[in-house]
Amino acid sequence: MPQWFEIAWRTVLAVIILFLMTKLLGKRQVSQLSLFEYITGITIGSIAAYVSLDAETEWGLGLVSLTVWVACSYGIEFVQIKSKKMRDFIDSKGSVLIEHGKVLEKNLKKERLTTDELMEQLRKKSAFRLADVEFAIMEPSGDINVLLKRENQPLTPKDLGIPVQPEKEPQTVIMDGQIMEEALRKSGRDQHWLDKKLAEVKAAVPDVFLGQIDGSGELYADFYDDRHKQPKQQKNAGLLSALKECETKLALAGVTETEPAAKQALQDASAALDKLFRELQGKLAHTDS
């Protein structure tokens, strides 16, 4: 057998085995890696390269080594699932770097993290001022999670006492000019509705690169031809979004206002806008159906 042919089929075999074993180890192996998973990933890749390239040794020995490594990794993951102590020993615990707004220099040195690196990680979490941070924790994966001080956290509808409906999962109903039948069924729409929406802009399903129905039942379509306009209902969705944003800002202003008369006026205006939003949303939904 020619050497180049042997290397070729051994490489293909190594790729197949590596794929199957990675599938066995699960998605954790390709997400944020722990220390042991990092070591395992490097070692398995090195053994796979050895199996495919070293033609002078028996490739079966490489497969034995690869199998043992995967078995050990699988066993350790199983033990980690069953035991909190083993998880802490293998992956280690998270380290608190900032507590109540104060940097813990001892933990910073323990993790071998410089102040420049700390500030870089904080900026990645949109925390540009150290004074805004309540807690910062370095996870076992090496990622740093940040909790802002309460006064610096964004207000939510719950903080304002505004009831909101549960958000539905958006469904991608068209992909590469093809209808995704299952996603279309989950969205509660049918192909007749889809064709009608696209006909509004003189388009058809094959003209759409990517089409998605959001939680409110609106269609967004990205066309191959960028000159195509969005279906009319997309503009209505933008109008509803702008109206809701105004209503939320008025509600926020009403919460922070201290003068009683102005506070009441803002609350009344917010309630009127909310009523208008609901009425308009109902009419558009009726027209759309």
Side-chain angles (χ1 to χ4, degrees), residues 94-105 107-108 111 113 117-119 121-123 125 127 129-130 132-139 142-149:
S95 297
V96 178
L97 303 179
I98 299 176
E99 185 175 20
H100 302 307
K102 297 182 181 294
V103 178
L104 304 183
E105 293 84 0
N107 288 349
L108 209 61
E111 298 297 339
L113 200 68
E117 290 170 334
L118 174 63
M119 295 307 299
Q121 292 299 319
L122 293 180
R123 288 192 293 270
K125 301 296 182 179
R129 294 199 322 150
L130 189 63
D132 295 340
V133 179
E134 183 72 22
F135 284 98
I137 300 176
M138 175 175 273
E139 305 294 353
D143 192 23
I144 295 179
N145 289 317
V146 175
L147 175 67
L148 297 176
K149 291 181 178 178

Coordinates of all heavy atoms in Angstrom, one line a residue, residues 94-105 107-108 111 113 117-119 121-123 125 127 129-130 132-139 142-149:
G94 N -15.3 29.6 42.0 CA -15.2 30.9 41.5 C -14.5 31.8 42.5 O -14.6 31.6 43.7
S95 N -13.8 32.8 42.0 CA -13.1 33.7 42.9 C -13.7 35.1 42.9 O -13.9 35.7 41.8 CB -11.6 33.8 42.5 OG -10.9 32.6 42.7
V96 N -14.0 35.7 44.0 CA -14.6 37.0 44.1 C -13.5 38.0 44.0 O -12.5 38.1 44.8 CB -15.3 37.2 45.4 CG1 -15.9 38.6 45.5 CG2 -16.4 36.2 45.6
L97 N -13.6 38.8 42.9 CA -12.5 39.8 42.6 C -12.9 41.2 43.2 O -12.0 42.0 43.6 CB -12.2 39.9 41.1 CG -11.8 38.6 40.5 CD1 -11.6 38.8 39.0 CD2 -10.6 38.0 41.1
I98 N -14.2 41.5 43.1 CA -14.7 42.8 43.7 C -15.9 42.4 44.6 O -16.8 41.7 44.2 CB -15.2 43.7 42.6 CG1 -14.0 44.1 41.7 CG2 -15.8 45.0 43.2 CD1 -14.4 44.9 40.5
E99 N -15.9 43.0 45.8 CA -17.0 42.7 46.7 C -17.4 44.0 47.4 O -16.6 44.7 47.9 CB -16.5 41.7 47.8 CG -17.6 41.3 48.8 CD -17.2 40.2 49.8 OE1 -15.9 40.1 50.0 OE2 -18.0 39.5 50.3
H100 N -18.7 44.3 47.2 CA -19.3 45.6 47.7 C -18.5 46.8 47.2 O -18.3 47.7 47.9 CB -19.4 45.6 49.2 CG -20.2 44.4 49.8 ND1 -21.4 44.1 49.4 CD2 -19.8 43.5 50.7 CE1 -21.9 43.1 50.1 NE2 -20.9 42.7 50.9
G101 N -18.1 46.7 45.9 CA -17.4 47.8 45.3 C -15.9 47.9 45.6 O -15.3 48.8 45.1
K102 N -15.4 47.0 46.4 CA -14.0 47.0 46.8 C -13.2 45.9 46.1 O -13.6 44.7 46.1 CB -13.8 46.9 48.3 CG -14.4 48.1 49.1 CD -14.2 47.9 50.6 CE -14.8 49.0 51.3 NZ -14.2 50.3 51.1
V103 N -12.1 46.2 45.5 CA -11.3 45.2 44.8 C -10.5 44.4 45.9 O -9.9 44.9 46.8 CB -10.2 45.9 43.9 CG1 -9.4 44.8 43.2 CG2 -10.9 46.7 42.8
L104 N -10.6 43.0 45.7 CA -9.9 42.1 46.6 C -8.6 41.8 46.0 O -8.4 40.9 45.2 CB -10.7 40.9 46.9 CG -12.2 41.1 47.4 CD1 -12.9 39.8 47.7 CD2 -12.1 42.0 48.7
E105 N -7.5 42.6 46.4 CA -6.2 42.4 45.8 C -5.6 41.0 46.0 O -4.9 40.5 45.1 CB -5.2 43.4 46.4 CG -5.6 44.9 46.0 CD -6.6 45.5 46.9 OE1 -7.1 44.8 47.8 OE2 -6.9 46.7 46.7
N107 N -7.2 38.1 46.1 CA -7.8 37.2 45.1 C -7.3 37.5 43.7 O -7.2 36.6 42.9 CB -9.3 37.2 45.2 CG -9.9 36.6 46.4 OD1 -9.1 35.9 47.1 ND2 -11.1 36.7 46.7
L108 N -7.0 38.8 43.5 CA -6.5 39.2 42.2 C -5.1 38.6 41.9 O -4.9 38.1 40.8 CB -6.5 40.7 42.1 CG -6.6 41.4 40.7 CD1 -8.0 41.1 40.2 CD2 -6.5 42.9 40.9
E111 N -5.3 34.8 41.3 CA -5.7 34.4 40.0 C -4.7 34.9 38.9 O -4.9 34.8 37.7 CB -7.1 34.9 39.6 CG -8.2 34.4 40.5 CD -8.4 32.9 40.4 OE1 -7.9 32.3 39.4 OE2 -8.9 32.2 41.3
L113 N -4.0 37.9 38.0 CA -4.8 38.9 37.1 C -4.3 40.3 37.4 O -4.3 40.7 38.6 CB -6.3 38.8 37.3 CG -7.2 39.3 36.3 CD1 -7.1 38.5 35.0 CD2 -8.6 39.3 36.8
E117 N -5.9 43.9 33.1 CA -6.8 42.8 32.7 C -8.1 42.8 33.3 O -9.2 42.5 32.7 CB -6.1 41.5 32.9 CG -4.9 41.2 32.1 CD -4.0 40.0 32.5 OE1 -4.1 39.7 33.7 OE2 -3.3 39.5 31.7
L118 N -8.2 43.2 34.6 CA -9.5 43.3 35.3 C -10.3 44.4 34.7 O -11.5 44.1 34.4 CB -9.2 43.6 36.8 CG -10.5 43.9 37.6 CD1 -11.4 42.6 37.7 CD2 -10.1 44.3 39.0
M119 N -9.8 45.5 34.4 CA -10.5 46.6 33.8 C -11.0 46.3 32.4 O -12.1 46.6 32.0 CB -9.7 47.9 33.8 CG -9.4 48.5 35.2 SD -10.8 48.7 36.2 CE -11.8 49.9 35.3
Q121 N -11.8 43.2 31.4 CA -12.9 42.3 31.5 C -14.2 43.1 32.0 O -15.3 42.7 31.6 CB -12.6 41.2 32.5 CG -11.5 40.3 32.0 CD -11.9 39.5 30.8 OE1 -13.0 39.1 30.6 NE2 -10.9 39.4 29.9
L122 N -14.0 44.1 32.8 CA -15.1 44.9 33.3 C -15.8 45.6 32.1 O -17.0 45.7 32.0 CB -14.7 45.8 34.4 CG -14.3 45.2 35.7 CD1 -14.0 46.3 36.7 CD2 -15.4 44.3 36.3
R123 N -14.9 46.2 31.3 CA -15.4 46.9 30.1 C -16.2 46.0 29.1 O -17.1 46.4 28.5 CB -14.2 47.6 29.4 CG -13.7 48.8 30.1 CD -12.7 49.6 29.3 NE -11.5 48.9 28.9 CZ -10.4 48.9 29.6 NH1 -10.4 49.6 30.8 NH2 -9.3 48.3 29.2
K125 N -18.1 43.8 30.0 CA -19.4 43.6 30.6 C -20.1 45.0 30.7 O -21.1 45.1 31.5 CB -19.3 43.0 32.0 CG -18.6 41.6 32.0 CD -19.4 40.6 31.3 CE -18.8 39.2 31.3 NZ -19.5 38.2 30.6
A127 N -19.1 47.7 32.1 CA -18.9 48.4 33.3 C -17.6 49.2 33.2 O -16.5 48.6 33.4 CB -18.8 47.4 34.5
R129 N -16.8 52.0 34.8 CA -16.4 52.7 36.0 C -16.4 51.7 37.1 O -17.3 51.0 37.4 CB -17.3 53.8 36.4 CG -17.3 55.0 35.4 CD -17.9 56.2 36.1 NE -19.0 56.0 37.0 CZ -19.3 56.7 38.0 NH1 -18.5 57.7 38.4 NH2 -20.4 56.4 38.8
L130 N -15.2 51.6 37.8 CA -15.1 50.7 39.0 C -16.1 51.0 40.0 O -16.6 50.1 40.7 CB -13.7 50.7 39.5 CG -13.3 49.7 40.6 CD1 -13.4 48.3 40.0 CD2 -11.9 50.0 41.1
D132 N -19.1 51.7 39.8 CA -20.5 51.2 39.4 C -20.6 49.7 39.8 O -21.7 49.2 39.7 CB -20.8 51.4 37.9 CG -20.8 52.8 37.6 OD1 -21.0 53.7 38.5 OD2 -20.7 53.1 36.4
V133 N -19.5 49.0 40.1 CA -19.6 47.6 40.3 C -19.8 47.2 41.7 O -19.1 47.6 42.6 CB -18.2 46.9 39.8 CG1 -18.3 45.4 40.0 CG2 -18.0 47.3 38.3
E134 N -20.8 46.3 42.0 CA -21.0 45.8 43.3 C -20.2 44.5 43.5 O -19.5 44.3 44.5 CB -22.5 45.5 43.5 CG -22.9 45.0 44.9 CD -22.9 46.1 45.9 OE1 -22.9 47.2 45.6 OE2 -22.7 45.7 47.1
F135 N -20.3 43.5 42.6 CA -19.6 42.3 42.7 C -19.0 42.0 41.3 O -19.6 42.3 40.3 CB -20.5 41.1 43.1 CG -20.8 41.1 44.5 CD1 -22.0 41.6 45.0 CD2 -20.0 40.5 45.5 CE1 -22.4 41.6 46.3 CE2 -20.3 40.5 46.8 CZ -21.5 41.0 47.3
A136 N -17.8 41.3 41.3 CA -17.2 40.7 40.1 C -16.6 39.4 40.5 O -15.9 39.3 41.5 CB -16.2 41.6 39.5
I137 N -17.0 38.3 39.8 CA -16.6 37.0 40.1 C -15.9 36.3 38.9 O -16.5 36.4 37.8 CB -17.8 36.1 40.6 CG1 -18.4 36.7 41.9 CG2 -17.3 34.7 40.9 CD1 -19.6 36.0 42.3
M138 N -14.7 35.8 39.1 CA -14.1 35.0 38.1 C -14.6 33.5 38.2 O -14.3 32.9 39.2 CB -12.6 35.1 38.2 CG -11.9 34.1 37.2 SD -10.1 34.3 37.2 CE -9.9 35.7 36.0
E139 N -15.2 33.0 37.2 CA -15.8 31.7 37.2 C -14.6 30.7 36.9 O -13.6 31.1 36.4 CB -16.8 31.6 36.1 CG -18.0 32.6 36.2 CD -18.8 32.4 37.5 OE1 -18.6 31.4 38.2 OE2 -19.7 33.3 37.8
G142 N -12.8 30.9 33.7 CA -12.0 32.0 33.4 C -12.8 33.3 33.0 O -12.2 34.4 33.0
D143 N -14.1 33.1 32.8 CA -14.9 34.3 32.5 C -15.2 35.1 33.7 O -15.3 34.5 34.8 CB -16.2 33.8 31.8 CG -17.0 34.9 31.2 OD1 -16.4 36.0 30.9 OD2 -18.2 34.8 31.0
I144 N -15.4 36.4 33.6 CA -15.7 37.3 34.8 C -17.1 37.8 34.6 O -17.4 38.4 33.6 CB -14.7 38.4 34.9 CG1 -13.3 37.9 35.2 CG2 -15.1 39.4 36.0 CD1 -12.2 38.9 35.3
N145 N -17.9 37.5 35.6 CA -19.3 38.0 35.6 C -19.4 39.2 36.6 O -18.8 39.2 37.7 CB -20.3 36.9 36.0 CG -20.4 35.9 34.9 OD1 -20.5 36.3 33.7 ND2 -20.4 34.6 35.2
V146 N -20.2 40.2 36.2 CA -20.3 41.4 36.9 C -21.7 41.7 37.3 O -22.6 41.6 36.5 CB -19.7 42.6 36.1 CG1 -19.9 43.9 36.8 CG2 -18.3 42.4 35.7
L147 N -21.9 42.2 38.6 CA -23.1 42.7 39.1 C -23.0 44.1 39.4 O -22.2 44.5 40.3 CB -23.6 41.9 40.3 CG -24.9 42.4 41.0 CD1 -26.1 42.2 40.1 CD2 -25.1 41.8 42.4
L148 N -23.7 45.0 38.7 CA -23.7 46.4 39.0 C -24.4 46.8 40.3 O -25.3 46.0 40.7 CB -24.3 47.2 37.8 CG -23.6 47.1 36.4 CD1 -24.5 47.8 35.4 CD2 -22.2 47.6 36.5
K149 N -24.0 47.9 40.8 CA -24.7 48.4 42.0 C -26.2 48.7 41.7 O -26.5 49.0 40.5 CB -24.1 49.7 42.6 CG -22.7 49.4 43.2 CD -22.1 50.7 43.7 CE -20.7 50.4 44.4 NZ -20.1 51.6 44.9

